[in-house]
Amino acid sequence: MFLQTDEQTIEDLGIFGKQNSGGIFDLYNSAHTRGGEEMLKTLFRSPLSDQDTINQRSSIIAHFADMKAVFPFDSSSFDAAERYLLNNSGRSKDTSSHTTVLNEKEMHNGVTAIIGILWRTREFIDSPAVNAITAYRDEREAIAMLLADAAFEPALKEKPQAKLPYPAITAYDVLFRVREHEKIKKLFAHIYALDVYLSVAEVAVKRNFVFPTALEKGLNILNLSGVYHP
């Protein structure tokens, strides 16, 4: 499913550039999250080789480019949520051996950020334009299944940015950092992928890039017009 690459090929193609010059990665990297940036690096190092998978990913990005879709999350809030989740030294679901102890402000900021992300994710995937992207259907459904988990139902009933009482904050803290930490991580992985799609789509719009179609192996057809190395 992935092409075999080596460091020499990556250097020859100018993927990551050199000390004094940027590479293709720098051109496409307008990611809003650290996770999105790392995922983009991984995708460059492990390019797809399967025709259908290539065309599916290309179709997703092309649709987001046509929509001129923007990243639906506030970058500073997402940074706060990532830092908050890192304070998870204990992975046990036994709350008596909880996680790193945070003060009230840290818990409030982290919990509020996570609730806001849950809300905005649901709003984004429920939008008619996103719902109509056939190539994005599997990822959209995977996200919808995570959000439909009964554990997140109370959080999705809260109003984003609402001032929650301390007992609610502590309860959500246990939920997000301990009991459902792995599900939150899975949700974030989907958001990082979305960040990549939107980053590449933004570059395609700004530079008037096109989206080629991968053909069946063995056809040996290559039609190019106005092609250049970015």
Side-chain angles (χ1 to χ4, degrees):
M1 188 174 177
F2 298 102
L3 288 174
Q4 297 299 313
T5 58
D6 55 70
E7 290 301 320
Q8 185 61 53
T9 301
I10 288 173
E11 184 176 341
D12 291 343
L13 291 172
I15 299 297
F16 295 106
K18 298 181 179 179
Q19 288 184 345
N20 298 323
S21 63
I24 297 177
F25 170 79
D26 299 298
L27 172 69
Y28 281 101
N29 182 28
S30 58
H32 297 78
T33 63
R34 289 186 292 272
E37 183 174 333
E38 289 303 313
M39 183 173 287
L40 184 60
K41 287 180 183 177
T42 300
L43 296 183
F44 271 118
R45 291 190 178 277
S46 304
L48 297 171
S49 62
D50 177 72
Q51 171 200 355
D52 292 336
T53 312
I54 291 170
N55 289 331
Q56 180 182 26
R57 181 183 291 171
S58 180
S59 178
I60 293 171
I61 297 170
H63 276 89
F64 283 137
D66 287 341
M67 290 167 52
K68 293 183 172 55
V70 297
F71 191 62
F73 308 96
D74 178 77
S75 296
S76 60
S77 294
F78 211 94
D79 285 343
E82 288 178 311
R83 288 194 301 270
Y84 164 75
L85 291 174
L86 284 175
N87 290 304
N88 184 39
S89 59
R91 297 301 177 93
S92 171
K93 293 187 178 182
D94 175 8
T95 57
S96 64
S97 58
H98 191 197
T99 57
T100 304
V101 177
L102 302 178
N103 62 42
E104 184 175 352
K105 182 178 180 181
E106 289 171 327
M107 277 196 292
H108 178 273
N109 290 344
V111 165
T112 302
I114 297 292
I115 291 175
I117 287 169
L118 292 173
W119 263 83
R120 278 185 279 278
T121 303
R122 185 174 65 177
E123 289 176 347
F124 183 81
I125 66 168
D126 283 349
S127 67
V130 172
N131 202 14
I133 303 175
T134 303
Y136 191 60
R137 181 176 298 156
D138 289 346
E139 288 189 58
R140 183 194 170 280
E141 289 179 355
I143 295 170
M145 284 185 64
L146 283 169
L147 294 178
D149 192 290
F152 298 132
E153 185 177 350
L156 286 167
K157 288 182 179 178
E158 303 286 0
K159 292 183 178 180
Q161 303 301 321
K163 186 169 178 60
L164 299 171
Y166 184 70
I169 292 289
T170 56
Y172 281 128
D173 180 49
V174 173
L175 178 71
F176 296 149
R177 287 202 298 144
V178 185
R179 291 178 179 164
E180 305 301 341
H181 185 264
E182 290 303 311
K183 290 175 186 173
I184 294 289
K185 281 177 60 179
K186 288 180 181 178
L187 177 64
F188 273 43
H190 285 293
I191 294 174
Y192 295 148
L194 175 64
D195 194 10
V196 169
Y197 297 149
L198 297 179
S199 175
V200 177
E202 180 183 339
V203 174
V205 170
K206 286 181 179 178
R207 294 179 174 264
N208 199 29
F209 285 170
V210 298
F211 294 87
T213 300
L215 303 179
E216 272 187 58
K217 184 178 180 181
L219 287 183
N220 298 323
I221 297 173
L222 182 63
N223 293 321
L224 303 174
S225 176
V227 68
Y228 63 95
H229 191 294

PDB file of all heavy atoms in Angstrom, residues 60-93:
ATOM      1  N   ILE A  60     -10.789  13.697  -1.434  1.00  0.00           N
ATOM      2  CA  ILE A  60     -11.110  14.386  -0.177  1.00  0.00           C
ATOM      3  C   ILE A  60     -10.531  15.794  -0.189  1.00  0.00           C
ATOM      4  O   ILE A  60     -11.221  16.783   0.093  1.00  0.00           O
ATOM      5  CB  ILE A  60     -10.563  13.598   1.032  1.00  0.00           C
ATOM      6  CG1 ILE A  60     -11.295  12.270   1.197  1.00  0.00           C
ATOM      7  CG2 ILE A  60     -10.686  14.426   2.315  1.00  0.00           C
ATOM      8  CD1 ILE A  60     -10.663  11.341   2.234  1.00  0.00           C
ATOM      9  N   ILE A  61      -9.255  15.890  -0.531  1.00  0.00           N
ATOM     10  CA  ILE A  61      -8.584  17.195  -0.515  1.00  0.00           C
ATOM     11  C   ILE A  61      -9.191  18.116  -1.568  1.00  0.00           C
ATOM     12  O   ILE A  61      -9.385  19.314  -1.319  1.00  0.00           O
ATOM     13  CB  ILE A  61      -7.068  17.008  -0.743  1.00  0.00           C
ATOM     14  CG1 ILE A  61      -6.463  16.198   0.408  1.00  0.00           C
ATOM     15  CG2 ILE A  61      -6.369  18.364  -0.858  1.00  0.00           C
ATOM     16  CD1 ILE A  61      -5.028  15.755   0.178  1.00  0.00           C
ATOM     17  N   ALA A  62      -9.500  17.566  -2.756  1.00  0.00           N
ATOM     18  CA  ALA A  62     -10.091  18.372  -3.821  1.00  0.00           C
ATOM     19  C   ALA A  62     -11.443  18.945  -3.392  1.00  0.00           C
ATOM     20  O   ALA A  62     -11.755  20.112  -3.680  1.00  0.00           O
ATOM     21  CB  ALA A  62     -10.245  17.532  -5.088  1.00  0.00           C
ATOM     22  N   HIS A  63     -12.248  18.140  -2.709  1.00  0.00           N
ATOM     23  CA  HIS A  63     -13.551  18.633  -2.243  1.00  0.00           C
ATOM     24  C   HIS A  63     -13.384  19.745  -1.210  1.00  0.00           C
ATOM     25  O   HIS A  63     -14.104  20.750  -1.251  1.00  0.00           O
ATOM     26  CB  HIS A  63     -14.369  17.481  -1.655  1.00  0.00           C
ATOM     27  CG  HIS A  63     -15.123  16.682  -2.662  1.00  0.00           C
ATOM     28  ND1 HIS A  63     -14.582  15.591  -3.304  1.00  0.00           N
ATOM     29  CD2 HIS A  63     -16.380  16.826  -3.165  1.00  0.00           C
ATOM     30  CE1 HIS A  63     -15.467  15.080  -4.139  1.00  0.00           C
ATOM     31  NE2 HIS A  63     -16.570  15.807  -4.074  1.00  0.00           N
ATOM     32  N   PHE A  64     -12.443  19.572  -0.284  1.00  0.00           N
ATOM     33  CA  PHE A  64     -12.213  20.624   0.699  1.00  0.00           C
ATOM     34  C   PHE A  64     -11.681  21.891   0.030  1.00  0.00           C
ATOM     35  O   PHE A  64     -11.996  23.006   0.458  1.00  0.00           O
ATOM     36  CB  PHE A  64     -11.239  20.141   1.781  1.00  0.00           C
ATOM     37  CG  PHE A  64     -11.855  19.225   2.799  1.00  0.00           C
ATOM     38  CD1 PHE A  64     -11.199  18.082   3.238  1.00  0.00           C
ATOM     39  CD2 PHE A  64     -13.103  19.503   3.341  1.00  0.00           C
ATOM     40  CE1 PHE A  64     -11.760  17.232   4.175  1.00  0.00           C
ATOM     41  CE2 PHE A  64     -13.683  18.660   4.288  1.00  0.00           C
ATOM     42  CZ  PHE A  64     -13.007  17.523   4.698  1.00  0.00           C
ATOM     43  N   ALA A  65     -10.895  21.720  -1.028  1.00  0.00           N
ATOM     44  CA  ALA A  65     -10.405  22.881  -1.782  1.00  0.00           C
ATOM     45  C   ALA A  65     -11.566  23.602  -2.465  1.00  0.00           C
ATOM     46  O   ALA A  65     -11.649  24.838  -2.431  1.00  0.00           O
ATOM     47  CB  ALA A  65      -9.367  22.438  -2.812  1.00  0.00           C
ATOM     48  N   ASP A  66     -12.466  22.849  -3.073  1.00  0.00           N
ATOM     49  CA  ASP A  66     -13.636  23.456  -3.721  1.00  0.00           C
ATOM     50  C   ASP A  66     -14.505  24.194  -2.713  1.00  0.00           C
ATOM     51  O   ASP A  66     -15.078  25.255  -3.010  1.00  0.00           O
ATOM     52  CB  ASP A  66     -14.471  22.375  -4.420  1.00  0.00           C
ATOM     53  CG  ASP A  66     -13.813  21.840  -5.687  1.00  0.00           C
ATOM     54  OD1 ASP A  66     -12.920  22.538  -6.224  1.00  0.00           O
ATOM     55  OD2 ASP A  66     -14.182  20.733  -6.131  1.00  0.00           O
ATOM     56  N   MET A  67     -14.605  23.621  -1.500  1.00  0.00           N
ATOM     57  CA  MET A  67     -15.400  24.251  -0.443  1.00  0.00           C
ATOM     58  C   MET A  67     -14.700  25.466   0.156  1.00  0.00           C
ATOM     59  O   MET A  67     -15.334  26.268   0.840  1.00  0.00           O
ATOM     60  CB  MET A  67     -15.641  23.243   0.690  1.00  0.00           C
ATOM     61  CG  MET A  67     -16.571  22.111   0.380  1.00  0.00           C
ATOM     62  SD  MET A  67     -16.468  20.806   1.666  1.00  0.00           S
ATOM     63  CE  MET A  67     -16.719  21.766   3.170  1.00  0.00           C
ATOM     64  N   LYS A  68     -13.370  25.549  -0.099  1.00  0.00           N
ATOM     65  CA  LYS A  68     -12.540  26.540   0.599  1.00  0.00           C
ATOM     66  C   LYS A  68     -12.759  26.421   2.111  1.00  0.00           C
ATOM     67  O   LYS A  68     -12.884  27.417   2.832  1.00  0.00           O
ATOM     68  CB  LYS A  68     -12.821  27.957   0.106  1.00  0.00           C
ATOM     69  CG  LYS A  68     -12.401  28.189  -1.344  1.00  0.00           C
ATOM     70  CD  LYS A  68     -12.630  29.614  -1.787  1.00  0.00           C
ATOM     71  CE  LYS A  68     -12.032  29.870  -3.159  1.00  0.00           C
ATOM     72  NZ  LYS A  68     -12.492  28.959  -4.211  1.00  0.00           N
ATOM     73  N   ALA A  69     -12.785  25.170   2.545  1.00  0.00           N
ATOM     74  CA  ALA A  69     -13.030  24.875   3.963  1.00  0.00           C
ATOM     75  C   ALA A  69     -11.859  25.351   4.811  1.00  0.00           C
ATOM     76  O   ALA A  69     -10.701  25.300   4.385  1.00  0.00           O
ATOM     77  CB  ALA A  69     -13.237  23.376   4.153  1.00  0.00           C
ATOM     78  N   VAL A  70     -12.157  25.824   6.002  1.00  0.00           N
ATOM     79  CA  VAL A  70     -11.127  26.282   6.935  1.00  0.00           C
ATOM     80  C   VAL A  70     -11.117  25.363   8.150  1.00  0.00           C
ATOM     81  O   VAL A  70     -12.123  24.717   8.478  1.00  0.00           O
ATOM     82  CB  VAL A  70     -11.364  27.744   7.376  1.00  0.00           C
ATOM     83  CG1 VAL A  70     -11.271  28.673   6.184  1.00  0.00           C
ATOM     84  CG2 VAL A  70     -12.722  27.895   8.056  1.00  0.00           C
ATOM     85  N   PHE A  71      -9.986  25.299   8.807  1.00  0.00           N
ATOM     86  CA  PHE A  71      -9.854  24.473  10.007  1.00  0.00           C
ATOM     87  C   PHE A  71     -10.846  24.973  11.052  1.00  0.00           C
ATOM     88  O   PHE A  71     -10.819  26.149  11.436  1.00  0.00           O
ATOM     89  CB  PHE A  71      -8.425  24.569  10.528  1.00  0.00           C
ATOM     90  CG  PHE A  71      -8.081  23.562  11.599  1.00  0.00           C
ATOM     91  CD1 PHE A  71      -8.128  22.200  11.337  1.00  0.00           C
ATOM     92  CD2 PHE A  71      -7.690  23.973  12.862  1.00  0.00           C
ATOM     93  CE1 PHE A  71      -7.810  21.270  12.311  1.00  0.00           C
ATOM     94  CE2 PHE A  71      -7.357  23.060  13.843  1.00  0.00           C
ATOM     95  CZ  PHE A  71      -7.424  21.698  13.561  1.00  0.00           C
ATOM     96  N   PRO A  72     -11.764  24.101  11.517  1.00  0.00           N
ATOM     97  CA  PRO A  72     -12.875  24.573  12.348  1.00  0.00           C
ATOM     98  C   PRO A  72     -12.555  24.770  13.826  1.00  0.00           C
ATOM     99  O   PRO A  72     -13.467  24.975  14.623  1.00  0.00           O
ATOM    100  CB  PRO A  72     -13.919  23.456  12.171  1.00  0.00           C
ATOM    101  CG  PRO A  72     -13.113  22.223  11.936  1.00  0.00           C
ATOM    102  CD  PRO A  72     -11.884  22.669  11.183  1.00  0.00           C
ATOM    103  N   PHE A  73     -11.285  24.699  14.190  1.00  0.00           N
ATOM    104  CA  PHE A  73     -10.909  24.810  15.597  1.00  0.00           C
ATOM    105  C   PHE A  73      -9.986  25.992  15.809  1.00  0.00           C
ATOM    106  O   PHE A  73      -9.181  26.333  14.938  1.00  0.00           O
ATOM    107  CB  PHE A  73     -10.213  23.531  16.075  1.00  0.00           C
ATOM    108  CG  PHE A  73     -10.978  22.276  15.783  1.00  0.00           C
ATOM    109  CD1 PHE A  73     -10.701  21.525  14.646  1.00  0.00           C
ATOM    110  CD2 PHE A  73     -11.986  21.848  16.626  1.00  0.00           C
ATOM    111  CE1 PHE A  73     -11.405  20.368  14.360  1.00  0.00           C
ATOM    112  CE2 PHE A  73     -12.704  20.689  16.358  1.00  0.00           C
ATOM    113  CZ  PHE A  73     -12.413  19.953  15.216  1.00  0.00           C
ATOM    114  N   ASP A  74     -10.092  26.589  16.976  1.00  0.00           N
ATOM    115  CA  ASP A  74      -9.172  27.652  17.358  1.00  0.00           C
ATOM    116  C   ASP A  74      -7.840  27.024  17.761  1.00  0.00           C
ATOM    117  O   ASP A  74      -7.795  26.152  18.633  1.00  0.00           O
ATOM    118  CB  ASP A  74      -9.762  28.434  18.537  1.00  0.00           C
ATOM    119  CG  ASP A  74      -8.815  29.514  19.012  1.00  0.00           C
ATOM    120  OD1 ASP A  74      -8.722  30.553  18.356  1.00  0.00           O
ATOM    121  OD2 ASP A  74      -8.151  29.288  20.043  1.00  0.00           O
ATOM    122  N   SER A  75      -6.758  27.457  17.121  1.00  0.00           N
ATOM    123  CA  SER A  75      -5.452  26.825  17.339  1.00  0.00           C
ATOM    124  C   SER A  75      -4.999  26.908  18.788  1.00  0.00           C
ATOM    125  O   SER A  75      -4.438  25.953  19.338  1.00  0.00           O
ATOM    126  CB  SER A  75      -4.397  27.455  16.426  1.00  0.00           C
ATOM    127  OG  SER A  75      -4.706  27.211  15.072  1.00  0.00           O
ATOM    128  N   SER A  76      -5.231  28.043  19.449  1.00  0.00           N
ATOM    129  CA  SER A  76      -4.786  28.201  20.838  1.00  0.00           C
ATOM    130  C   SER A  76      -5.554  27.264  21.766  1.00  0.00           C
ATOM    131  O   SER A  76      -4.977  26.676  22.690  1.00  0.00           O
ATOM    132  CB  SER A  76      -4.950  29.655  21.291  1.00  0.00           C
ATOM    133  OG  SER A  76      -6.305  30.057  21.206  1.00  0.00           O
ATOM    134  N   SER A  77      -6.851  27.088  21.510  1.00  0.00           N
ATOM    135  CA  SER A  77      -7.644  26.159  22.321  1.00  0.00           C
ATOM    136  C   SER A  77      -7.181  24.730  22.105  1.00  0.00           C
ATOM    137  O   SER A  77      -7.146  23.923  23.044  1.00  0.00           O
ATOM    138  CB  SER A  77      -9.133  26.282  21.973  1.00  0.00           C
ATOM    139  OG  SER A  77      -9.634  27.533  22.336  1.00  0.00           O
ATOM    140  N   PHE A  78      -6.833  24.416  20.849  1.00  0.00           N
ATOM    141  CA  PHE A  78      -6.372  23.062  20.567  1.00  0.00           C
ATOM    142  C   PHE A  78      -5.033  22.809  21.255  1.00  0.00           C
ATOM    143  O   PHE A  78      -4.795  21.723  21.784  1.00  0.00           O
ATOM    144  CB  PHE A  78      -6.237  22.856  19.056  1.00  0.00           C
ATOM    145  CG  PHE A  78      -6.504  21.443  18.636  1.00  0.00           C
ATOM    146  CD1 PHE A  78      -7.761  21.055  18.217  1.00  0.00           C
ATOM    147  CD2 PHE A  78      -5.508  20.487  18.691  1.00  0.00           C
ATOM    148  CE1 PHE A  78      -8.023  19.743  17.856  1.00  0.00           C
ATOM    149  CE2 PHE A  78      -5.745  19.175  18.334  1.00  0.00           C
ATOM    150  CZ  PHE A  78      -7.010  18.800  17.912  1.00  0.00           C
ATOM    151  N   ASP A  79      -4.149  23.805  21.250  1.00  0.00           N
ATOM    152  CA  ASP A  79      -2.881  23.672  21.969  1.00  0.00           C
ATOM    153  C   ASP A  79      -3.125  23.422  23.451  1.00  0.00           C
ATOM    154  O   ASP A  79      -2.456  22.581  24.073  1.00  0.00           O
ATOM    155  CB  ASP A  79      -2.035  24.939  21.803  1.00  0.00           C
ATOM    156  CG  ASP A  79      -1.411  25.045  20.424  1.00  0.00           C
ATOM    157  OD1 ASP A  79      -1.355  24.009  19.727  1.00  0.00           O
ATOM    158  OD2 ASP A  79      -0.987  26.144  20.046  1.00  0.00           O
ATOM    159  N   ALA A  80      -4.072  24.145  24.019  1.00  0.00           N
ATOM    160  CA  ALA A  80      -4.393  23.973  25.439  1.00  0.00           C
ATOM    161  C   ALA A  80      -4.912  22.563  25.701  1.00  0.00           C
ATOM    162  O   ALA A  80      -4.549  21.935  26.707  1.00  0.00           O
ATOM    163  CB  ALA A  80      -5.437  25.009  25.865  1.00  0.00           C
ATOM    164  N   ALA A  81      -5.738  22.042  24.794  1.00  0.00           N
ATOM    165  CA  ALA A  81      -6.278  20.695  24.959  1.00  0.00           C
ATOM    166  C   ALA A  81      -5.169  19.648  24.868  1.00  0.00           C
ATOM    167  O   ALA A  81      -5.152  18.682  25.640  1.00  0.00           O
ATOM    168  CB  ALA A  81      -7.345  20.430  23.895  1.00  0.00           C
ATOM    169  N   GLU A  82      -4.237  19.830  23.942  1.00  0.00           N
ATOM    170  CA  GLU A  82      -3.127  18.885  23.800  1.00  0.00           C
ATOM    171  C   GLU A  82      -2.254  18.871  25.048  1.00  0.00           C
ATOM    172  O   GLU A  82      -1.856  17.802  25.528  1.00  0.00           O
ATOM    173  CB  GLU A  82      -2.298  19.226  22.559  1.00  0.00           C
ATOM    174  CG  GLU A  82      -2.995  18.901  21.246  1.00  0.00           C
ATOM    175  CD  GLU A  82      -2.173  19.286  20.043  1.00  0.00           C
ATOM    176  OE1 GLU A  82      -1.680  20.448  20.002  1.00  0.00           O
ATOM    177  OE2 GLU A  82      -2.020  18.467  19.134  1.00  0.00           O
ATOM    178  N   ARG A  83      -1.936  20.062  25.562  1.00  0.00           N
ATOM    179  CA  ARG A  83      -1.119  20.142  26.781  1.00  0.00           C
ATOM    180  C   ARG A  83      -1.849  19.503  27.951  1.00  0.00           C
ATOM    181  O   ARG A  83      -1.250  18.800  28.768  1.00  0.00           O
ATOM    182  CB  ARG A  83      -0.778  21.606  27.096  1.00  0.00           C
ATOM    183  CG  ARG A  83       0.244  22.229  26.155  1.00  0.00           C
ATOM    184  CD  ARG A  83       0.773  23.540  26.725  1.00  0.00           C
ATOM    185  NE  ARG A  83      -0.287  24.505  26.940  1.00  0.00           N
ATOM    186  CZ  ARG A  83      -0.693  25.383  26.026  1.00  0.00           C
ATOM    187  NH1 ARG A  83      -0.135  25.387  24.823  1.00  0.00           N
ATOM    188  NH2 ARG A  83      -1.653  26.241  26.298  1.00  0.00           N
ATOM    189  N   TYR A  84      -3.128  19.755  28.038  1.00  0.00           N
ATOM    190  CA  TYR A  84      -3.948  19.195  29.114  1.00  0.00           C
ATOM    191  C   TYR A  84      -3.917  17.674  29.080  1.00  0.00           C
ATOM    192  O   TYR A  84      -3.722  17.018  30.111  1.00  0.00           O
ATOM    193  CB  TYR A  84      -5.375  19.718  28.960  1.00  0.00           C
ATOM    194  CG  TYR A  84      -6.429  18.975  29.741  1.00  0.00           C
ATOM    195  CD1 TYR A  84      -6.556  19.130  31.118  1.00  0.00           C
ATOM    196  CD2 TYR A  84      -7.337  18.131  29.086  1.00  0.00           C
ATOM    197  CE1 TYR A  84      -7.538  18.452  31.823  1.00  0.00           C
ATOM    198  CE2 TYR A  84      -8.320  17.459  29.789  1.00  0.00           C
ATOM    199  CZ  TYR A  84      -8.416  17.622  31.148  1.00  0.00           C
ATOM    200  OH  TYR A  84      -9.382  16.955  31.859  1.00  0.00           O
ATOM    201  N   LEU A  85      -4.074  17.079  27.913  1.00  0.00           N
ATOM    202  CA  LEU A  85      -4.106  15.624  27.798  1.00  0.00           C
ATOM    203  C   LEU A  85      -2.751  14.990  28.063  1.00  0.00           C
ATOM    204  O   LEU A  85      -2.668  13.817  28.422  1.00  0.00           O
ATOM    205  CB  LEU A  85      -4.610  15.216  26.409  1.00  0.00           C
ATOM    206  CG  LEU A  85      -6.085  15.514  26.135  1.00  0.00           C
ATOM    207  CD1 LEU A  85      -6.425  15.193  24.688  1.00  0.00           C
ATOM    208  CD2 LEU A  85      -6.991  14.718  27.076  1.00  0.00           C
ATOM    209  N   LEU A  86      -1.671  15.754  27.876  1.00  0.00           N
ATOM    210  CA  LEU A  86      -0.334  15.222  28.160  1.00  0.00           C
ATOM    211  C   LEU A  86      -0.137  14.984  29.651  1.00  0.00           C
ATOM    212  O   LEU A  86       0.717  14.190  30.049  1.00  0.00           O
ATOM    213  CB  LEU A  86       0.744  16.176  27.645  1.00  0.00           C
ATOM    214  CG  LEU A  86       0.970  16.177  26.132  1.00  0.00           C
ATOM    215  CD1 LEU A  86       1.977  17.265  25.746  1.00  0.00           C
ATOM    216  CD2 LEU A  86       1.457  14.815  25.651  1.00  0.00           C
ATOM    217  N   ASN A  87      -0.912  15.690  30.472  1.00  0.00           N
ATOM    218  CA  ASN A  87      -0.826  15.505  31.925  1.00  0.00           C
ATOM    219  C   ASN A  87      -1.612  14.271  32.333  1.00  0.00           C
ATOM    220  O   ASN A  87      -2.588  14.334  33.083  1.00  0.00           O
ATOM    221  CB  ASN A  87      -1.374  16.742  32.652  1.00  0.00           C
ATOM    222  CG  ASN A  87      -0.471  17.934  32.498  1.00  0.00           C
ATOM    223  OD1 ASN A  87       0.704  17.867  32.835  1.00  0.00           O
ATOM    224  ND2 ASN A  87      -1.003  19.034  31.965  1.00  0.00           N
ATOM    225  N   ASN A  88      -1.174  13.150  31.821  1.00  0.00           N
ATOM    226  CA  ASN A  88      -1.888  11.897  32.043  1.00  0.00           C
ATOM    227  C   ASN A  88      -0.879  10.824  32.408  1.00  0.00           C
ATOM    228  O   ASN A  88      -0.670   9.870  31.680  1.00  0.00           O
ATOM    229  CB  ASN A  88      -2.659  11.508  30.778  1.00  0.00           C
ATOM    230  CG  ASN A  88      -3.509  10.262  30.990  1.00  0.00           C
ATOM    231  OD1 ASN A  88      -4.107  10.088  32.037  1.00  0.00           O
ATOM    232  ND2 ASN A  88      -3.547   9.398  29.996  1.00  0.00           N
ATOM    233  N   SER A  89      -0.217  11.012  33.540  1.00  0.00           N
ATOM    234  CA  SER A  89       0.857  10.103  33.932  1.00  0.00           C
ATOM    235  C   SER A  89       0.357   8.717  34.285  1.00  0.00           C
ATOM    236  O   SER A  89       1.072   7.740  34.161  1.00  0.00           O
ATOM    237  CB  SER A  89       1.628  10.687  35.123  1.00  0.00           C
ATOM    238  OG  SER A  89       0.751  10.878  36.218  1.00  0.00           O
ATOM    239  N   GLY A  90      -0.889   8.617  34.753  1.00  0.00           N
ATOM    240  CA  GLY A  90      -1.454   7.310  35.080  1.00  0.00           C
ATOM    241  C   GLY A  90      -2.508   6.927  34.074  1.00  0.00           C
ATOM    242  O   GLY A  90      -3.405   7.692  33.810  1.00  0.00           O
ATOM    243  N   ARG A  91      -2.416   5.741  33.493  1.00  0.00           N
ATOM    244  CA  ARG A  91      -3.347   5.341  32.446  1.00  0.00           C
ATOM    245  C   ARG A  91      -4.442   4.412  32.960  1.00  0.00           C
ATOM    246  O   ARG A  91      -5.254   3.934  32.205  1.00  0.00           O
ATOM    247  CB  ARG A  91      -2.592   4.649  31.302  1.00  0.00           C
ATOM    248  CG  ARG A  91      -1.598   5.560  30.621  1.00  0.00           C
ATOM    249  CD  ARG A  91      -2.282   6.780  30.046  1.00  0.00           C
ATOM    250  NE  ARG A  91      -1.324   7.694  29.461  1.00  0.00           N
ATOM    251  CZ  ARG A  91      -0.991   7.669  28.169  1.00  0.00           C
ATOM    252  NH1 ARG A  91      -1.500   6.776  27.369  1.00  0.00           N
ATOM    253  NH2 ARG A  91      -0.129   8.549  27.705  1.00  0.00           N
ATOM    254  N   SER A  92      -4.444   4.124  34.252  1.00  0.00           N
ATOM    255  CA  SER A  92      -5.433   3.194  34.798  1.00  0.00           C
ATOM    256  C   SER A  92      -6.810   3.831  34.851  1.00  0.00           C
ATOM    257  O   SER A  92      -6.949   5.032  35.078  1.00  0.00           O
ATOM    258  CB  SER A  92      -5.020   2.761  36.204  1.00  0.00           C
ATOM    259  OG  SER A  92      -6.050   2.033  36.813  1.00  0.00           O
ATOM    260  N   LYS A  93      -7.847   3.032  34.628  1.00  0.00           N
ATOM    261  CA  LYS A  93      -9.212   3.529  34.761  1.00  0.00           C
ATOM    262  C   LYS A  93      -9.643   3.581  36.220  1.00  0.00           C
ATOM    263  O   LYS A  93     -10.742   4.021  36.541  1.00  0.00           O
ATOM    264  CB  LYS A  93     -10.179   2.654  33.955  1.00  0.00           C
ATOM    265  CG  LYS A  93      -9.961   2.770  32.453  1.00  0.00           C
ATOM    266  CD  LYS A  93     -11.035   2.040  31.675  1.00  0.00           C
ATOM    267  CE  LYS A  93     -10.823   2.218  30.177  1.00  0.00           C
ATOM    268  NZ  LYS A  93     -11.878   1.565  29.375  1.00  0.00           N
TER     269      LYS A  93
END
